[in-house]
Amino acid sequence: MSGTVTFTVNGQPVTTEASDEPLLLVLRNRLGLRATRFGCGLEQCGACMVEIDGAPRFACGTPVEVLEGRAVTTPEGLDDPVGVALRDAFAAESAGQCGYCLAGILISAHALLTGNPRPSRDQIVAALDGHLCRCGAHGAILRAVARAAERLQGAEA
Amino acid sequence: MRTLPLSLQANPLLGQWLSLDTPGRLTISPGKVELGQGIASALMQIAAEELDLSFGRLTLRPVDTGASANEGITAGSQSVEVSGAALRLAAAQLRAALLDAAAVRLGVPVADLSPADGAILRKGAATGLDVWALADNIDWQQPISGEIAPKPAAEYTVVGTSLPRDDLPRKATTGGFIHDLTFPDLLHVRVVRQPFRLARLADLDEARLARRYPAVTAFRRDDFLALVGTDEHQVQSAHLESEFFTRWEDAGRWTPPETPGTAVLLPPEEDARPAPGNRRLSARYSRQSIAHGSIGPSCALAILEGEQLTVWSHSQGIFPLRAVIAKVLGRAVDSVRVIHADGAGCYGHNGADDAALDAALVAVAHPGRPVRVQFSRADELGRAPLGAAMATRIEAGLDAEGRIVDWQLSVTSAPHAQRPGFGGFANLTSAEALDPEALPRKVEDLPPASGGGASRNAVAIYDLPGQSVEVTLEAASPVRTSSLRALGAHVNVFAIESAMDELAALAGADPLAFRLAHLSDPRARAVLETAAQMAGWPDPNPEGTGSAKGLGVARYKNKGAWLAAVAEVTVDEAIRVEKLWLAVDAGLLINPEGARSQIEGGALQSLSWTLKEGIDLLDGRVPVLDWDRYPILRFSDVPEIETRFLINPNHPPLGAGEAAQGPVAAAIGNAVTRALGARMRDLPMTRERLMQSLLQA
């Protein structure tokens, strides 16, 4: 298949060659968006997670040719109230050690809180269970997501 | 004269550590590198404290063989202990020199002066002078004497506070890793690694590669094969198909290196005689090889400009790496510069150094072109050095009163110390691919001064009459092993603390009381009693009911931080750790949250090693691995953790990154034994092995 594909990344329209190149490499090498990370290329670790139409998806396994008309959000684009609350909460908890897994985790947490502003701990765990963290920072990461949810509820009330 | 920290002996000049060149900022140039452990923040806190600067004024210079203090390797929980001590003395001397210079400039007694966030105050009032205006009056070539007393701990305001990490938000939402560096005209590289040690590249079908990926070229030197191109997708795709255009064969070139054989750490007593009677323990505890498993596979960049080769690496030791790269390439050391850039979490000697040599090799063949090497997931898990497989055997006996009267421990282990340059050998995969003669001919354990490798924590902390300890290094396997966090301490502490529980059971004693009866070290007793009290010891669960608590304690390297752990587990189809209680004495804490994060992270990584991780070799070779074949801890496996630090600010700070691994493994093992009514002595305690234990019980 040849031709082009048009979609949005963080609200900006992008047109690129419709190919089987993974979205991950297009974001990093062609669009200069480097927060989305290569971890395995096998949809096993979650380091490359992005939102596609609001749902968390592995960018390493998503060929750009399927993205016509879709909306992609990367970690750089998490600037809505949920994204800001998450970023602040992760900073406040010093959540993470090396930080490599965090970008993908922020995406899954963002998708979770956008659809479910009052998640239980088990729901947070389930939302993040596709993500691997090797440093053992899980506790602070779970606390940070819960903290962001609390702040968003406070803002609602 | 006082003994200076090693880092100051090697890098004695004030200007090697500190600079006020940038107005409004203090730049520190330590040689220890950020491994994802938050060391940068801790070192900046130490320097800010001595000079009474706000933390926000600190800048960390990237560690660079062209500019930084040479502090060797960042390992062994030495960064705060060694680099922090050196920086503290350097900053104390700079403070004194600045105040002396200010006194001359102002014509007032130095005793009236003090710095406050860069301003010079006289009796608390502004003088209009600041430290940056005085920078030209400082002799930056003065040696650091260690004679200027640092600030007393009681006056600390920055050290001991949990300042948030300044690098994490940037790393989470923009860039900041070596993986994110880029240059115009970049060449992307994937190395087709030898599938086993010293494999010979028998066939390379370049025509097939060219048909499938015309934009990718094969760069081959002997058995080193790199795929190179400007389009990363093409290069990556070609790499995934490499088995279709390469054929490797076993050329029978592996010869095991010499080892020192058996080293006696503590000799048996002359008249040692095993205690009579049947209250004896004879047990063997083990683990398989394990993988580092960083979430970001190794990466390196390099460029040759004229005669100057510059390499970017997330190595733990850029100075030794530079020397080995120069030697392998036959270049002068001065013509090679290695700059550190942050990698994903690093837990020891992983693939970082291999990637750096790969990048250097490709760069010198493409003058003027920047190159970027990226490891695949499979190579990161299976082709980087592994954590060593090892086994620890303990024989011990009790007297009639239930006291231990003899104790013989023997460790058999694969090598833990095969870093670049060790023993004069490259210890880099691609060096062996270029020349099988680069294979190490001799391998040693780390010396006791470095905390030992296989011998790490092989000596029990208990008061044991007739304690004998010997360590045998076993290097027959071609599987490449080197330093992984805690080294031998993981298995040795697991073995010692499992044996203590087994002996307590033989003595009919409570495991806590039994340990305390053999333990005089007051700081070890304190962490043990604290952890037990936090966990509500003794365990109320009867044995064999599927739920239980267990404990473990150690002093890391027998000279570092003390840590006691209690684990609560439930066992049904698999083992689940429900809660961990940790009591730690790491002396003064520079950044309490940073220390907690290191301790709890180490505990969780140990939980993962202990329950899930081990590599089954196929015909003696490491198979192709991914996260399904090599599972690690997930969010749903994470227990609640409660950590308490026993803090005495007058005790010097001790590294925290490796204190938890041994005690946590032991606490889990002892809890599982009580829950199950059967002991599992071989790690990992997987579901399959659990079923075997139940069948045998």
Side-chain angles (χ1 to χ4, degrees):
Chain A
M1 183 181 140
S2 62
T4 60
V5 57
T6 299
F7 53 101
T8 65
V9 177
N10 301 330
Q12 302 295 312
V14 170
T15 298
T16 186
E17 188 190 342
S19 73
D20 61 353
E21 180 164 2
L23 174 61
L24 172 65
L25 293 181
V26 171
L27 291 172
R28 292 184 58 83
N29 293 341
R30 304 194 191 279
L31 303 178
L33 295 171
R34 298 179 167 272
T36 305
R37 310 203 174 283
F38 172 71
C40 64
L42 304 164
E43 304 194 353
Q44 291 178 342
C45 77
C48 68
M49 206 68 86
V50 295
E51 278 182 23
I52 299 179
D53 293 343
R57 295 283 181 259
F58 296 100
C60 73
T62 303
V64 283
E65 64 198 359
V66 306
L67 291 175
E68 181 64 41
R70 315 293 289 270
V72 175
T73 305
T74 71
E76 289 93 340
L78 295 178
D79 49 11
D80 66 352
V82 174
V84 171
L86 279 166
R87 287 158 68 153
D88 290 350
F90 273 67
E93 293 284 346
S94 280
Q97 254 181 52
C98 80
Y100 200 86
C101 65
L102 289 180
I105 286 173
L106 281 171
I107 290 287
S108 287
H110 182 265
L112 170 72
L113 296 189
T114 302
N116 175 8
R118 296 166 193 272
S120 65
R121 189 178 192 278
D122 285 351
Q123 287 171 323
I124 298 174
V125 167
L128 301 188
D129 217 32
H131 291 272
L132 297 177
C133 161
R134 185 56 159 168
C135 297
H138 307 73
I141 291 169
L142 294 172
R143 284 195 296 277
V145 177
R147 183 185 185 123
E150 277 165 32
R151 188 178 121 184
L152 289 163
Q153 286 161 36
E156 260 174 42
Chain B
M1 187 181 144
R2 59 184 292 170
T3 309
L4 289 171
L6 283 178
S7 292
L8 281 183
Q9 295 175 29
N11 311 277
L13 307 181
L14 189 62
Q16 287 177 301
W17 294 89
L18 300 167
S19 158
L20 291 167
D21 285 351
T22 308
R25 304 203 67 79
L26 174 71
T27 303
I28 64 172
S29 305
K32 298 289 185 187
V33 300
E34 180 62 51
L35 303 175
Q37 81 281 48
I39 193 61
S41 293
L43 294 178
M44 288 195 285
Q45 278 179 267
I46 288 171
E49 181 69 68
E50 288 303 323
L51 286 156
D52 284 315
L53 282 168
S54 57
F55 181 70
R57 290 196 184 275
L58 272 284
T59 301
L60 184 81
R61 175 172 290 163
V63 185
D64 179 345
T65 58
S68 307
N70 178 355
E71 292 195 88
I73 298 164
T74 303
S77 295
Q78 293 294 288
S79 299
V80 162
E81 292 177 35
V82 174
S83 195
L87 261 176
R88 185 179 294 111
L89 292 173
Q93 185 158 327
L94 176 59
R95 176 194 176 106
L98 286 165
L99 293 180
D100 283 344
V104 171
R105 184 84 71 92
L106 297 168
V108 301
V110 70
D112 290 353
L113 300 177
S114 61
D117 199 22
I120 302 291
L121 305 185
R122 182 183 180 199
K123 296 182 174 172
T127 62
L129 197 58
D130 66 35
V131 296
W132 294 280
L134 294 163
D136 285 346
N137 298 72
I138 301 299
D139 172 12
W140 294 97
Q141 298 302 309
Q142 63 182 285
I144 298 159
S145 66
E147 303 289 332
I148 309 287
K151 204 187 254 192
E155 293 174 20
Y156 283 169
T157 59
V158 182
V159 165
T161 61
S162 294
L163 293 171
R165 291 265 301 275
D166 73 332
D167 59 330
L168 282 181
R170 175 172 46 89
K171 285 176 171 172
T173 54
T174 55
F177 291 100
I178 188 168
H179 310 75
D180 306 327
L181 292 177
T182 190
F183 298 94
D185 296 323
L186 187 66
L187 287 173
H188 289 278
V189 181
R190 296 288 188 281
V191 174
V192 183
R193 308 225 80 90
Q194 292 161 293
F196 50 91
R197 200 89 175 261
L198 298 185
R200 176 188 284 159
L201 181 53
D203 272 316
L204 169 64
D205 186 346
E206 290 194 69
R208 179 167 180 157
L209 172 66
R211 278 196 306 277
R212 290 279 294 149
Y213 299 100
V216 177
T217 57
F219 169 67
R220 178 183 182 179
R221 272 182 61 186
D222 302 290
D223 299 314
F224 174 79
L225 175 61
L227 305 176
V228 184
T230 54
D231 184 327
E232 187 173 18
H233 180 220
Q234 299 293 307
V235 176
Q236 177 175 285
S237 302
H239 185 252
L240 287 171
E241 290 179 19
S242 60
E243 64 183 295
F244 300 115
F245 54 84
T246 57
R247 189 171 62 80
W248 299 86
E249 65 185 19
D250 186 347
R253 297 188 290 201
W254 165 252
T255 46
E258 260 182 64
T259 73
T262 298
V264 176
L265 263 65
L266 291 176
E269 283 176 5
E270 292 264 331
D271 56 351
R273 195 166 299 147
N278 58 2
R279 296 211 297 177
R280 291 197 61 75
L281 171 72
S282 174
R284 178 184 180 275
Y285 309 88
S286 73
R287 84 167 183 197
Q288 296 173 283
S289 299
I290 56 178
H292 290 251
S294 182
I295 301 299
S298 293
C299 181
L301 293 93
I303 184 169
L304 180 69
E305 295 165 299
E307 281 306 300
Q308 182 70 35
L309 176 66
T310 304
V311 180
W312 287 263
S313 171
H314 52 110
S315 167
Q316 289 180 289
I318 58 169
F319 287 92
L321 174 62
R322 172 178 66 163
V324 175
I325 288 175
K327 191 173 166 189
V328 172
L329 298 181
R331 305 179 67 84
V333 171
D334 285 350
S335 74
V336 181
R337 176 181 178 192
V338 183
I339 301 173
H340 180 266
D342 291 359
C346 166
Y347 321 104
H349 173 202
N350 59 18
D353 301 280
D354 291 322
L357 176 60
D358 296 345
L361 281 167
V362 179
V364 296
H366 298 81
R369 291 296 296 271
V371 307
R372 177 184 187 271
V373 168
Q374 169 71 66
F375 267 40
S376 68
R377 169 50 50 201
D379 289 344
E380 184 70 17
L381 283 171
R383 303 290 171 249
L386 301 177
M390 57 189 287
T392 299
R393 178 173 281 284
I394 294 176
E395 311 262 346
L398 299 173
D399 66 11
E401 280 74 49
R403 290 191 63 84
I404 300 169
V405 285
D406 70 272
W407 174 282
Q408 298 92 44
L409 181 147
S410 60
V411 182
T412 305
S413 176
H416 288 265
Q418 303 198 81
R419 288 181 182 276
F422 275 22
F425 302 101
N427 288 323
L428 294 171
T429 47
S430 296
E432 294 174 12
L434 294 177
D435 178 9
E437 294 299 312
L439 197 68
R441 298 295 173 204
K442 197 171 180 192
V443 57
E444 312 262 358
D445 201 19
L446 278 181
S450 306
S455 59
R456 188 163 294 184
N457 281 86
V459 174
I461 58 172
Y462 299 101
D463 314 322
L464 301 175
Q467 179 176 192
S468 75
V469 177
E470 60 178 41
V471 175
T472 304
L473 216 54
E474 164 67 60
S477 164
V479 171
R480 193 164 64 119
T481 59
S482 193
S483 300
L484 172 56
R485 208 171 179 188
L487 288 80
H490 177 230
V491 173
N492 287 331
V493 172
F494 172 69
I496 291 168
E497 290 296 292
S498 296
M500 288 302 285
D501 258 40
E502 298 203 51
L503 289 163
L506 286 176
D510 171 77
L512 174 64
F514 184 75
R515 281 174 174 75
L516 290 171
H518 292 87
L519 188 58
S520 55
D521 176 347
R523 292 170 81 177
R525 291 179 67 92
V527 292
L528 189 54
E529 286 172 324
T530 302
Q533 182 252 323
M534 287 163 70
W537 195 270
D539 184 0
N541 297 302
E543 191 168 341
T545 55
S547 182
K549 289 174 188 162
L551 54 79
V553 62
R555 182 180 188 193
Y556 185 53
K557 293 185 185 174
N558 296 65
K559 61 182 181 183
W562 290 259
L563 187 142
V566 176
E568 181 174 31
V569 306
T570 52
V571 181
D572 40 51
E573 285 187 343
I575 297 164
R576 181 174 171 80
V577 179
E578 304 289 348
K579 181 150 186 187
L580 287 173
W581 294 266
L582 307 173
V584 193
D585 179 348
L588 169 73
L589 301 181
I590 306 297
N591 182 324
E593 273 307 310
R596 184 163 90 119
S597 165
Q598 278 295 298
I599 290 288
E600 295 184 357
L604 289 180
Q605 197 170 73
S606 177
L607 191 166
S608 184
W609 295 346
T610 302
L611 294 186
K612 292 174 178 274
E613 298 182 38
I615 295 173
D616 290 315
L617 302 180
L618 286 174
D619 300 327
R621 294 171 185 166
V622 181
V624 175
L625 298 173
D626 61 19
W627 290 125
D628 283 341
R629 297 184 186 102
Y630 190 88
I632 62 170
L633 183 86
R634 291 187 171 277
F635 275 90
S636 50
D637 299 316
V638 170
E640 191 186 335
I641 307 181
E642 196 179 318
T643 302
R644 193 176 299 169
F645 284 96
L646 280 60
I647 300 172
N648 179 337
N650 294 318
H651 289 142
L654 297 166
E658 299 168 292
Q661 282 79 350
V664 165
I668 294 171
N670 288 331
V672 167
T673 301
R674 277 189 60 80
L676 206 60
R679 182 160 288 274
M680 296 179 72
R681 295 187 178 122
D682 299 308
L683 305 182
M685 295 185 239
T686 56
R687 191 169 176 274
E688 293 70 28
R689 288 182 169 170
L690 177 66
M691 294 304 153
Q692 281 171 10
S693 298
L694 287 172
L695 289 173
Q696 285 160 10

